Amino acid sequence: MSSDHRAFLDATLPYLDVVYQVARHAAGDGQDPEDLVQETYLRAYAGFGSYRGGNTRAWLAAICLNAARSQARRRRRRPWEVPARAPLDALPAVYADRSQAVPDVADAVIAGLDAQAITSCLAQLPEPQRLCIVLMDVAGYTARETAAVLGCPRGTVLARTHRGRRRLARLLTEAGVTHGQP
């Protein structure tokens, strides 16, 4: 394995989970997050020679968001396709560690319904607000890192996040999603 390849893997693989979280929320209809992550890493590898260091996590998130936008533009130019929902997406994850208690089936179904409602409500937000919430609340970026990824001032990120959270809370309440209260 070449030293460039090893350096790329060392720099980017620790952020694979974060890139997947961003891709999950940036992927539009008919677009798999796994495909978007793969496209992100292919583009990152191709551009790694010109990468000057800095915040690798933000660099990968920016590539992921740009890849999602590019794919969305390409989809708009193609004839309309009806995406098929994968049947495995609805199944709960299998526990690798069998020492953990397996949740009750009813709890798994309710959690799946809440996750579906949350995803649906999140999709209703304007893209700038949704991206700020995904990057800060899901992927764990700071406001400064989010601003670097989106190419806007930190104050703009904070305002979008605040407005997006308020609107998301209202949408979730309307959808009947509770905050853990019976």
Side-chain angles (χ1 to χ4, degrees):
M1 186 177 298
S2 72
S3 63
D4 289 343
H5 187 69
R6 172 57 55 197
F8 173 76
L9 292 176
D10 290 343
T12 60
L13 278 184
Y15 304 110
L16 183 61
D17 291 339
V18 173
V19 172
Y20 180 77
Q21 290 296 324
V22 171
R24 224 181 77 210
H25 293 284
D29 291 337
Q31 183 179 19
D32 290 329
E34 292 87 3
D35 292 341
L36 189 53
V37 170
Q38 183 176 355
E39 179 69 20
T40 299
Y41 272 80
L42 286 172
R43 288 182 181 193
Y45 185 70
F48 192 67
S50 62
Y51 179 61
R52 294 183 181 88
N55 189 340
T56 305
R57 186 172 75 161
W59 179 63
L60 289 169
I63 292 171
C64 183
L65 293 173
N66 287 334
R69 289 180 186 128
S70 294
Q71 288 181 1
R73 277 192 301 275
R74 279 194 299 273
R75 265 196 331 274
R76 281 193 298 266
R77 289 191 300 253
R78 289 193 322 229
W80 188 64
E81 298 175 4
V82 178
R85 186 174 171 99
L88 296 179
D89 291 345
L91 297 176
V94 177
Y95 286 89
D97 182 8
R98 297 291 179 190
S99 65
Q100 291 180 334
V102 177
D104 183 36
V105 173
D107 291 339
V109 170
I110 291 170
L113 292 174
D114 284 349
Q116 188 177 20
I118 291 168
T119 302
S120 172
C121 290
L122 194 56
Q124 293 177 38
L125 294 177
E127 183 181 8
Q129 291 176 359
R130 183 176 61 247
L131 289 177
C132 287
I133 288 174
V134 167
L135 289 173
M136 289 184 65
D137 296 338
V138 177
Y141 284 48
T142 64
R144 180 168 283 117
E145 292 171 333
T146 302
V149 168
L150 298 176
C152 63
R154 181 179 172 272
T156 302
V157 167
L158 293 173
R160 288 175 181 171
T161 304
H162 175 73
R163 289 185 192 112
R165 286 174 181 161
R166 280 194 338 215
R167 187 167 182 189
L168 182 61
R170 189 172 55 252
L171 290 169
L172 288 171
T173 302
E174 292 170 3
V177 176
T178 62
H179 302 287
Q181 295 114 8

